[in-house]
């Protein structure tokens, strides 16, 4: 593998774009030094970079590409729609078609509003909850890494620069699978918490009764339950993790895989709450998700085609099956190489990630970098192990082979020191206070 052209482009990216990428999680500080490829094109589960390298890619589009790159039924639908125009002065009929398709898909929801980014959907949900309850505070799950680019969340993150203290003070944190920590927030701020925001699941599965406990607590305390289904939606189940776990949120937010990489996100939920964003009520109105590009027609055409494909084909089953094959293969290879305790394969099969621990068993960025260095050299581009529908069994097996070779190096580095094997500086967390 040769990264010369990517490395030559790097300074130009940083000169013109703060951070060198339009999304921090895509930044080259997330990759081994000198091995951060700039992508030219993708097809299915593969991508090609400016140097002509081909990779099997995981976590495509930060998990937005659930079916595969340039997936024919989706791009054909978008292409057809492009011929009719992208955006008009009045709503296009496709806005209603897409709403119907979505609400058929997610039966817990009675109304839906589309927008372009997941952040807008989740922030819109919080605004509705605040208006509905007349309360200002929000309780977010401390173990879930991201809900929105907006101040209510970023102010409570590891990178709160530029966000007023008054805003930061309104966001409180509880721990996943720890109902008592949420009860304590309600006790400390009686009648002040408008909403509880969490994902149904990340790497840790919900403890029996936890999600229902959160539901019941919200009901007792008069707060709304907002379920962020940005990642779990169209992955855990066609109707989201809420369907898999039988949990009824008041509002839920979707994005990412909803339109297979096209920019469409959704805020959906209870009619009486969602309707505050309309004009058919006597209460104070809420300015809910009203953006120039919210109804962009080809994005909605892509969303409809994506949802149709999920309805007609075994997408969810395939994601789980491929993930299982990958997890089994990697765990076996890790055991064989003697690194199973150091490279845990975590999460549900449809959304796997790998850990990287040092010889003392502590999470280690240098070891993560070493592992990525090794798999990149073997044609696997992966900051996670999140599969899409286009990953074939052969892709999975090739990935396992690449990791197996990487594990042998990892084992040696555990024994004789990671510095001897690492080329360049370690990767860094995407959200951090200082460079
Ligand atoms: C769980 C979750 N919620 C919300 C968001 C924000 O979505 P977007 O980046 O589309 O604004 C993300 C993005 O990574 C996410 O992972």
């Amino acid at each position: 593998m040769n990264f010369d052209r990517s490395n030559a482009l790097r300074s130009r990216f940083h000169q013109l774009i703060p951070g060198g990428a339009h999304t921090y999680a895509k930044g080259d500080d997330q990759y081994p030094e000198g091995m951060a490829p700039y992508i030219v094109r993708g097809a299915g589960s593969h991508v090609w970079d400016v140097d002509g390298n081909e990779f099997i890619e995981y976590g495509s589009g930060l998990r937005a590409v659930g079916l595969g790159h340039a997936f024919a039924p989706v791009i054909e639908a978008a292409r057809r729609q492009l011929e009719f125009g992208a955006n008009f002065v009045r709503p296009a009929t496709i806005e209603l078609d897409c709403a119907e398709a979505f609400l058929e898909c997610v039966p817990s929801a009675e109304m839906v509003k589309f927008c372009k980014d997941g952040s807008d959907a989740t922030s819109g949900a919080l605004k509705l909850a605040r208006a509905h309850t007349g309360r200002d505070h929000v309780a977010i799950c401390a173990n879930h890494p991201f809900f929105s680019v907006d101040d209510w969340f970023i102010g409570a993150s590891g990178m709160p620069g530029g966000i007023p203290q008054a805003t930061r003070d309104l966001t409180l944190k509880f721990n996943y699978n720890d109902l008592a920590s949420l009860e304590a927030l309600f006790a400390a701020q009686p009648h002040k918490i408008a909403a509880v925001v969490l994902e149904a699941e990340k790497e840790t599965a919900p403890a029996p009764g936890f999600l229902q406990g959160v539901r019941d607590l919200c009901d007792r305390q008069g707060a709304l339950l907002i379920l962020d289904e940005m990642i779990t939606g169209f992955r855990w189940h066609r109707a989201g993790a809420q369907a898999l776990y039988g949990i009824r949120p008041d509002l839920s937010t979707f994005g990412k895989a909803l339109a297979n990489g096209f920019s469409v996100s959704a805020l959906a939920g209870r009619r009486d709450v969602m309707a505050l964003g309309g004009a058919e009520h006597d209460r104070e109105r809420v300015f809910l998700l009203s953006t120039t590009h919210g109804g962009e027609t080809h994005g909605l055409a892509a969303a409809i085609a994506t949802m149709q494909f999920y309805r007609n084909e075994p997408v969810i089953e395939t994601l789980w099956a491929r993930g299982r094959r990958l997890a089994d293969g990697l765990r076996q290879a890790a055991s064989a190489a003697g690194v199973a305790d150091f490279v845990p394969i975590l999460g549900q099969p449809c959304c796997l990630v790998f850990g990287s621990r040092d010889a003392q068993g502590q999470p280690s960025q240098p070891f993560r970098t070493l592992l990525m260095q090794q798999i990149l050299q073997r044609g696997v581009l992966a900051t996670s192990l999140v599969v899409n529908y286009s990953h074939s069994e052969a892709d999975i097996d090739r990935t396992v082979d690449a990791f197996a070779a990487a594990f042998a190096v990892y084992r040696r580095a555990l024994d004789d020191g990671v510095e001897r094997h690492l080329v360049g500086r370690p990767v860094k967390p995407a959200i951090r206070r200082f460079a």
Side-chain angles (χ1 to χ4, degrees):
M1 290 274 166
N2 172 330
F3 294 90
D4 290 351
R5 287 189 179 171
S6 280
N7 289 334
L9 272 181
R10 183 181 181 276
S11 61
R12 188 81 180 128
F13 264 79
H14 281 265
Q15 227 167 28
L16 301 190
I17 305 166
H22 291 293
T23 318
Y24 288 120
K26 295 185 183 181
D28 42 43
D29 53 4
Q30 304 301 295
Y31 289 82
E33 199 165 359
M35 298 181 79
Y38 291 101
I39 305 300
V40 174
R41 71 183 180 93
S45 56
H46 290 227
V47 293
W48 287 261
D49 71 5
V50 281
D51 287 284
N53 300 314
E54 178 178 352
F55 299 96
I56 304 172
E57 187 204 42
Y58 288 84
S60 309
L62 305 178
R63 296 170 166 83
V65 179
L67 296 174
H69 294 295
F71 197 74
V74 178
I75 55 173
E76 279 314 315
R79 213 191 316 266
R80 272 196 307 277
Q81 187 60 44
L82 281 171
E83 300 293 328
F84 297 108
N87 204 334
F88 313 106
V89 73
R90 282 278 296 153
T93 53
I94 197 167
E95 297 181 37
L96 180 61
D97 298 340
C98 196
E100 284 171 349
F102 182 89
L103 293 172
E104 186 272 325
C105 215
V106 182
S108 79
E110 296 170 307
M111 295 184 95
V112 61
K113 198 149 190 193
F114 296 118
C115 38
K116 304 310 285 181
D117 288 299
S119 297
D120 290 343
T122 311
S123 296
L126 176 57
K127 192 195 289 182
L128 274 182
R130 284 174 161 159
H132 178 76
T133 60
R135 303 173 179 183
D136 290 343
H137 287 66
V138 57
I140 66 171
C141 181
N143 315 94
H144 293 170
F146 206 84
F147 294 119
S148 175
V149 296
D150 291 320
D151 290 2
W152 64 271
F153 174 72
I154 296 297
S157 77
M159 201 170 159
I163 298 172
Q165 190 61 47
T167 303
R168 300 185 202 180
D169 292 343
L170 296 176
T171 299
L172 314 169
K173 291 189 177 177
F174 65 96
N175 294 319
Y176 191 68
N177 277 343
D178 180 0
L179 206 52
S181 68
L182 183 57
E183 280 166 347
L185 294 184
F186 278 111
Q189 307 282 346
H191 312 296
K192 288 199 171 157
I193 298 176
V196 173
V197 182
L198 78 165
E199 294 181 77
E201 178 173 13
K202 286 222 66 81
E203 282 74 49
T204 306
F210 172 69
L211 293 174
Q212 191 55 47
V214 174
R215 172 71 277 173
D216 295 343
L217 189 54
C218 286
D219 288 342
R220 279 203 305 281
Q221 295 287 346
L224 295 195
L225 173 55
I226 298 173
L227 203 60
D228 181 330
E229 295 257 29
M230 220 58 65
I231 291 174
T232 51
F234 299 92
R235 195 164 274 286
W236 263 240
H237 185 284
R238 200 164 70 89
Q242 55 191 274
L244 189 67
Y245 290 122
I247 181 84
R248 184 184 49 80
D250 297 298
L251 298 170
S252 49
T253 58
F254 291 77
K256 301 229 184 227
L258 166 55
N260 195 44
F262 283 82
S263 174
V264 180
S265 56
L267 163 59
R270 270 168 54 182
R271 179 177 302 282
D272 60 326
V273 181
M274 293 288 292
L276 291 177
E280 291 171 3
H281 58 84
D282 300 330
R283 296 183 59 177
E284 186 182 11
R285 296 181 67 205
V286 177
F287 191 93
L288 184 65
L289 299 174
S290 174
T291 60
T292 302
H293 296 292
E296 188 183 46
T297 60
H298 48 273
L300 297 179
I304 293 171
T306 301
M307 289 186 275
Q308 258 168 11
F309 197 86
Y310 271 75
R311 194 169 53 233
N312 298 334
E313 303 296 331
V315 178
I316 298 289
E317 295 82 344
T318 305
L319 295 177
W320 283 74
R322 293 289 185 276
R324 266 189 217 106
R325 187 181 182 96
L326 182 59
D328 290 348
L330 290 176
R331 286 184 185 128
Q332 261 171 31
S335 292
V339 300
D341 292 340
F342 303 95
V343 190
I345 307 302
L346 306 166
Q348 292 289 5
C350 62
C351 196
L352 296 166
V353 294
F354 55 88
S356 52
R357 300 195 179 137
D358 63 18
Q360 285 70 47
Q362 295 304 310
S364 163
Q365 300 284 26
F367 271 96
R368 177 176 173 81
T369 315
L370 176 64
L371 190 54
M372 288 178 63
Q373 193 180 291
Q374 294 298 318
I375 57 170
L376 274 160
Q377 277 163 1
R378 294 173 174 83
V380 175
L381 178 59
T383 49
S384 73
L385 298 165
V386 178
V387 291
N388 68 50
Y389 179 73
S390 293
H391 279 102
S392 63
E393 292 190 345
D395 285 331
I396 300 296
D397 296 346
R398 271 187 51 202
T399 303
V400 171
D401 289 346
F403 269 88
F407 290 156
V409 180
Y410 199 106
R411 180 64 256 175
R412 284 204 293 283
L414 285 168
D415 297 333
D416 61 10
V418 68
E419 311 74 34
R420 295 173 71 120
H421 301 271
L422 196 59
V423 183
R425 52 99 190 102
V427 299
K428 296 177 179 172
I431 300 185
R432 59 185 191 274
R433 198 159 192 147
F434 298 102

